[in-house]
Amino acid sequence: MSKRKTAKKACFVALLSKTALLTMITPAFAAVTINGNTSLSGLEVNSNTTLNVNGPNAKINGNITLTKKINLVTDQAAKASAFSGAKVTLAPTDSQDGDFDLGGIQLDTVILGNDNIVTVSGLNPLTSIKYVPGVSIEDIVFVDENGDAFVPEDLEPVDSDSDSDSDSDSDSDSDSDSDSD
């Protein structure tokens, strides 16, 4: 009988150990809620995140960088105006995080930041789409807010001299190879 109790105890300890270990290695998850008269300038998402934005006065502007998947939850008022001055850069760390659903929000610009992007869905037709030179845009699937796949007609590379508001000012060496005067 004592061998049986010992075996039960060992199984119980093993189960608890496995459960405890799984909670320590589970990816981090964050939830951010922006309501009412709240304004957020600049945002970097480095873990799977739910972003709740509600109300006509909730504003997110500046540069937003997404390196992990985001679950975007907005009401109609926020969808139309909360992100209207924002520039979103999609730069997933790997292709597992390369599917982005922008939920039909009105954005100023979406920048395709690397080759790990697989799908960009929920694109509003008024959103300007740009890409970092070297990104294989032909491999990315674009889906509008109605769920229809499309090929963007006005894709253009990011202009590091005038259009990019990124934090990088490293164009001192790149001007020497420029073909334009």
Side-chain angles (χ1 to χ4, degrees):
M1 188 107 156
S2 68
K3 285 184 179 182
R4 188 176 209 176
K5 283 186 177 181
T6 304
K8 267 182 146 179
K9 199 177 211 181
C11 287
F12 182 71
V13 169
L15 182 61
L16 281 177
S17 298
K18 182 178 179 183
T19 304
L21 182 62
L22 285 176
T23 60
M24 289 189 293
I25 61 172
T26 301
F29 180 81
V32 177
T33 300
I34 300 170
N35 287 320
N37 291 320
T38 306
S39 180
L40 177 64
S41 181
L43 177 66
E44 188 164 336
V45 176
N46 293 317
S47 65
N48 294 339
T49 302
T50 294
L51 182 59
N52 299 292
V53 183
N54 300 302
N57 296 325
K59 299 285 183 208
I60 298 178
N61 50 40
N63 295 325
I64 300 169
T65 302
L66 305 177
T67 61
K68 296 286 184 179
K69 291 182 182 181
I70 186 169
N71 179 24
L72 189 59
V73 180
T74 62
D75 61 12
Q76 284 303 106
K79 184 183 278 193
S81 65
F83 296 86
S84 60
K87 183 181 291 187
V88 174
T89 300
L90 305 177
T93 54
D94 58 49
S95 59
Q96 283 184 318
D97 295 317
D99 296 313
F100 292 95
D101 184 356
L102 301 176
I105 59 174
Q106 176 68 41
L107 287 166
D108 181 45
T109 306
V110 171
I111 298 173
L112 308 173
N114 65 31
D115 277 336
N116 290 329
I117 302 166
V118 177
T119 305
V120 182
S121 59
L123 279 166
N124 184 299
L126 301 175
T127 301
S128 170
I129 303 171
K130 298 185 179 196
Y131 60 93
V132 172
V135 172
S136 302
I137 55 176
E138 61 276 357
D139 295 333
I140 301 171
V141 176
F142 297 93
V143 180
D144 67 17
E145 59 189 320
N146 297 319
D148 300 320
F150 71 99
V151 176
E153 296 176 13
D154 58 349
L155 278 171
E156 57 186 66
V158 172
D159 180 7
S160 62
D161 291 334
S162 62
D163 192 48
S164 177
D165 292 333
S166 70
D167 295 332
S168 165
D169 290 333
S170 61
D171 58 51
S172 60
D173 294 327
S174 64
D175 290 340
S176 62
D177 295 333
S178 176
D179 289 336
S180 62
D181 289 285

